[in-house]
Amino acid sequence: MVDINTQNFESILKQKGFLDFDLDPSLDLFSEIEKLKKEKNAIILAHYYQEPDIQDVADFIGDSLGLAQKAAQTDAAIIVFAGVHFMAETAKILNPTKKVLLPDLNAGCSLSDSAPPAIFKTFKDKHPDHLVISYINCSAGMKALSDIICTSSNAQKIVESLPKDQKIIFAPDKNLGAYINKQTGRNMLLWNGTCMVHEIFSLEKITKLKLRHPKAKVLAHPECEDAVLAVADFVGSTTGILKYSKASDCNEFIVATEAGILHQMQKESPSKTFIPAPPNNSCACNDCPYMKFNTLEKLYLCMKYELPEITMDETLRLEAKKPIDRMLKISAKYGL
Ligand code: 13P
Ligand code: SF4
């Protein structure tokens, strides 16, 4: 049997004899995908970092929390996850009987990779009196070792929901953890993981941009380094950043997160100007290479052939579900 979790999409299709898939360039992928959605009772959930075409064909676009909440509620038979692997995996953990598809299994995450469960377990075992809060950007194996999951939009509330003297390990994002420590006055033990996209914003280039656009507000995701967060006018999740830009009287924004979010920002505020914060390399904006593994063509093929599918060991799934359920419960309590 083909193990679809360990092979890339193209080789799966090759093995299944599907690789005559040179797509007819005249095919209207938008209408074909709409047809497939109806035929198969499928829902497309997309993260804000997906390419604009994918966002435009999605049934729901959101941040990690919104997507997990939507996945927990949907009654569609097939969930097509236009995002990265840990997001599709979370959807599968919440929906064991549904088919969960990810257009390209290579869509991983540097943050998730920075916390291998076996190594983390050794660390955790040295701190038996600590609770483990893990950012949702981690594998099912890491989730199974965690007490509560959080996302960038509920991390602060989740930490604050615990007694002040509760010892906590926060994994895997040290930048988000440090930001929450600052916001809450806690001293959580931080795992040394980072997001490759948010870590390379250039403070120098942002400062120069700010000089050229003195009225622009700097909006930053808490996965950014402390120095970038220190110059931000607003720090929040992708949904938070989107809402802030819509509600603000300001007309110009420098956006320090993955550039995919600019599509919705521009759609929701067409008259405002959004400038992607530049990274520390020769690029003008910052794309997540993992998020961008998904394309409209792969989305279409994945829906047509119902591959690649996310599968999971049931014991692992049940262990990984407990901390996600705790997160959803606390989020509902605070109306997040
Ligand atoms: P949010 O979706 O919580 O804003 O996080 C962004 C991110 O990096 C997802 O991979
Ligand atoms: Fe992971 Fe960063 Fe890409 Fe989000 S943007 S999927 S955290 S590598």
Side-chain angles (χ1 to χ4, degrees):
M1 197 178 123
V2 180
D3 177 0
I4 53 173
N5 271 329
T6 55
Q7 297 181 19
N8 72 29
F9 188 55
E10 205 170 296
S11 74
I12 293 161
L13 290 180
K14 255 185 203 154
Q15 287 188 28
K16 298 232 164 209
F18 291 147
L19 204 61
D20 54 341
F21 72 74
D22 272 339
L23 282 181
D24 174 355
S26 67
L27 201 62
D28 179 350
L29 291 179
F30 290 95
S31 67
E32 292 300 319
I33 288 171
E34 288 304 332
K35 266 193 244 160
L36 288 170
K37 275 195 221 173
K38 287 196 187 87
E39 259 171 54
K40 297 181 184 240
N41 184 19
I43 185 171
I44 300 177
L45 307 183
H47 191 270
Y48 292 122
Y49 296 165
Q50 291 294 285
E51 62 173 46
D53 282 351
I54 293 182
Q55 293 190 36
D56 289 346
V57 85
D59 298 289
F60 179 82
I61 315 162
D63 68 357
S64 307
L65 178 62
L67 289 165
Q69 287 168 328
K70 193 75 188 172
Q73 290 156 4
T74 183
D75 52 14
I78 299 179
I79 299 172
V80 187
F81 218 109
V84 290
H85 191 271
F86 75 81
M87 296 176 173
E89 208 174 47
T90 302
K92 185 66 188 176
I93 291 166
L94 294 166
N95 293 282
T97 59
K98 294 188 201 301
K99 196 173 257 189
V100 177
L101 306 173
L102 178 66
D104 190 327
L105 287 178
N106 292 308
C109 168
S110 67
L111 247 181
S112 180
D113 291 347
S114 67
I119 300 175
F120 181 78
K121 186 171 181 320
T122 309
F123 173 74
K124 179 188 157 166
D125 289 347
K126 288 187 185 145
H127 304 280
D129 52 347
H130 284 59
L131 268 188
V132 176
I133 301 183
S134 290
Y135 192 32
I136 198 164
N137 300 38
C138 66
S139 64
M142 264 298 282
K143 289 185 173 78
L145 292 168
S146 307
D147 296 291
I148 317 179
I149 296 302
C150 72
T151 75
S152 56
S153 45
N154 61 18
Q156 188 169 334
K157 274 274 184 282
I158 284 180
V159 170
E160 285 171 345
S161 73
L162 299 173
K164 269 214 164 345
D165 57 353
Q166 174 64 57
K167 292 180 179 168
I168 300 169
I169 294 173
F170 189 90
D173 188 2
K174 68 172 181 186
N175 290 330
L176 175 62
Y179 174 70
I180 301 296
N181 269 346
K182 243 187 188 171
Q183 296 299 107
T184 60
R186 307 262 176 151
N187 187 24
M188 299 186 294
L189 211 47
L190 308 180
W191 183 257
N192 190 16
T194 53
C195 158
M196 60 183 282
V197 177
H198 289 85
E199 213 191 20
I200 61 161
F201 285 114
S202 161
L203 180 61
E204 192 189 327
K205 290 185 193 171
I206 293 173
T207 309
K208 283 182 183 158
L209 259 181
K210 185 80 182 149
L211 286 173
R212 272 188 273 136
H213 301 270
K215 289 189 178 154
K217 290 224 184 285
V218 177
L219 314 180
H221 195 281
E223 287 173 22
C224 293
E225 287 182 329
D226 185 48
V228 170
L229 298 181
V231 298
D233 297 285
F234 175 78
V235 177
S237 74
T238 43
T239 296
I241 287 174
L242 180 63
K243 281 187 183 159
Y244 182 94
S245 66
K246 201 176 171 189
S248 170
D249 293 338
C250 181
N251 281 316
E252 260 187 320
F253 301 90
I254 296 166
V255 186
T257 190
E258 211 269 1
I261 184 72
L262 269 70
H263 182 57
Q264 291 307 317
M265 293 174 108
Q266 201 68 75
K267 260 179 128 172
E268 296 203 6
S269 307
S271 64
K272 297 184 181 178
T273 304
F274 299 100
I275 307 161
N280 234 335
N281 56 30
S282 52
C283 299
C285 67
N286 214 355
D287 273 334
C288 171
Y290 297 108
M291 286 279 180
K292 263 55 184 196
F293 266 118
N294 296 325
T295 60
L296 196 65
E297 287 78 8
K298 287 182 200 169
L299 181 66
Y300 163 72
L301 289 166
C302 132
M303 292 181 73
K304 184 168 173 183
Y305 296 113
E306 298 183 21
L307 279 173
E309 183 184 355
I310 304 292
T311 57
M312 199 177 304
D313 170 78
E314 183 61 3
T315 312
L316 173 64
R317 187 189 74 77
L318 290 171
E319 282 308 304
K321 188 169 181 291
K322 288 180 206 164
I324 300 175
D325 285 342
R326 272 184 94 177
M327 170 186 82
L328 293 173
K329 208 169 155 192
I330 298 171
S331 301
K333 184 175 163 195
Y334 291 105
L336 298 169

